[in-house]
Amino acid sequence: AQRVTQPEKLLSVFKGAPVELKCNYSYSGSPELFWYVQYSRQRLQLLLRHISRESIKGFTADLNKGETSFHLKKPFAQEEDSAMYYCALSPPIKAAGNKLTFGGGTRVLVKP
Amino acid sequence: GAVVSQHPSRVICKSGTSVKIECRSLDFQATTMFWYRQFPKQSLMLMATSNEGSKATYEQGVEKDKFLINHASLTLSTLTVTSAHPEDSSFYICSARNSGSNYEQYFGPGTRLTVT
């Protein structure tokens, strides 16, 4: 069974400090991995996906297959980064379904 | 582009009645849409996969006769909560998969259902 674990429910950091959100997964195969973000009173939106290898809004995430992790990092947090972050997994794109399994979410609070 | 809408945004209904929630992809076609449920301070749980022109696929533990899904066109899926009970009160979110854009899913704003 596929599962996504985000061990931290809340991360509170000061502006300018680094932030790292942990995500571990279990899946038999090579899944697609994503980070979604939900700002206050807004809909869920894609932040980044591992196959893109992009840096979005200063965030990066590295897939570590050995540790089955996909941690999200930003070297200098900004107040506008305060939001709910969800790590998610899906079977490979070409597989049937493309269903997303979400982690429990981590709330990030960036203090001034 | 790639906007998904949901209607209504908020609904209150009496126990025993049915309520329909619509999910529309506004500027793209979606052969597949997904319905999620989110309880307060919890994550999204996939309920079912809605496939245009065919029956929905339900996740384990989700009653298909309770949560009726219809995906009659490439831009509209509906979720009907039948004979609603207070325990059905939740936040229901849909997403639509854009098959022309690397299969990215776009999420609707959600519908808050309260059953009294």
Side-chain angles (χ1 to χ4, degrees), chain A residues 45-62:
Chain A
Q45 57 185 286
L46 179 66
L47 180 62
L48 54 81
R49 57 199 305 176
H50 89 274
I51 60 171
S52 300
R53 297 179 179 272
E54 294 175 300
S55 173
I56 304 294
K57 298 184 179 183
F59 285 97
T60 58
D62 293 320

Side-chain angles (χ1 to χ4, degrees), chain A residues 14-84:
Chain A
F14 284 103
K15 176 183 174 181
V19 62
E20 180 179 29
L21 289 74
K22 291 185 169 48
C23 172
N24 289 90
Y25 67 91
S26 62
Y27 183 82
S28 55
S30 297
E32 296 285 335
L33 284 152
F34 308 84
W35 276 98
Y36 283 85
V37 60
Q38 188 170 29
Y39 300 104
S40 180
R41 298 181 183 178
Q42 294 188 28
R43 69 186 67 195
L44 202 64
Q45 57 185 286
L46 179 66
L47 180 62
L48 54 81
R49 57 199 305 176
H50 89 274
I51 60 171
S52 300
R53 297 179 179 272
E54 294 175 300
S55 173
I56 304 294
K57 298 184 179 183
F59 285 97
T60 58
D62 293 320
L63 175 61
N64 186 321
K65 293 185 178 180
E67 297 183 357
T68 60
S69 68
F70 188 55
H71 303 327
L72 182 69
K73 303 176 185 178
K74 184 168 183 176
F76 307 104
Q78 303 300 313
E79 290 182 69
E80 55 264 30
D81 297 327
S82 296
M84 194 73 179

Side-chain angles (χ1 to χ4, degrees), chain B residues 74-93:
Chain B
L74 287 172
T75 59
L76 173 65
S77 174
T78 60
L79 169 69
T80 301
V81 183
T82 63
S83 187
H85 288 100
E87 56 265 31
D88 298 324
S89 298
S90 190
F91 198 55
Y92 292 88
I93 302 171

Side-chain angles (χ1 to χ4, degrees), chain B:
Chain B
V3 178
V4 175
S5 70
Q6 279 185 244
H7 178 79
S9 58
R10 188 181 296 266
V11 59
I12 301 172
C13 70
K14 292 186 176 180
S15 188
T17 62
S18 296
V19 61
K20 181 186 287 187
I21 303 170
E22 293 184 348
C23 178
R24 293 182 185 272
S25 56
L26 298 185
D27 48 6
F28 65 97
Q29 294 183 333
T31 55
T32 304
M33 292 184 176
F34 301 90
W35 286 96
Y36 298 85
R37 185 172 179 176
Q38 186 177 33
F39 290 104
K41 297 185 179 181
Q42 294 191 27
S43 188
L44 287 79
M45 295 292 294
L46 180 65
M47 298 174 65
T49 303
S50 173
N51 304 297
E52 188 267 336
S54 64
K55 292 183 179 180
T57 306
Y58 290 82
E59 295 301 299
Q60 192 172 9
V62 178
E63 299 176 58
K64 61 180 181 181
D65 295 329
K66 171 80 172 172
F67 299 99
L68 300 178
I69 291 172
N70 184 280
H71 194 156
S73 79
L74 287 172
T75 59
L76 173 65
S77 174
T78 60
L79 169 69
T80 301
V81 183
T82 63
S83 187
H85 288 100
E87 56 265 31
D88 298 324
S89 298
S90 190
F91 198 55
Y92 292 88
I93 302 171
C94 75
S95 71
R97 188 173 74 183
N98 188 341
S99 55
S101 179
N102 210 14
Y103 295 95
E104 182 171 338
Q105 287 188 38
Y106 296 91
F107 286 80
T111 296
R112 171 79 57 198
L113 170 63
T114 303
V115 185
T116 60

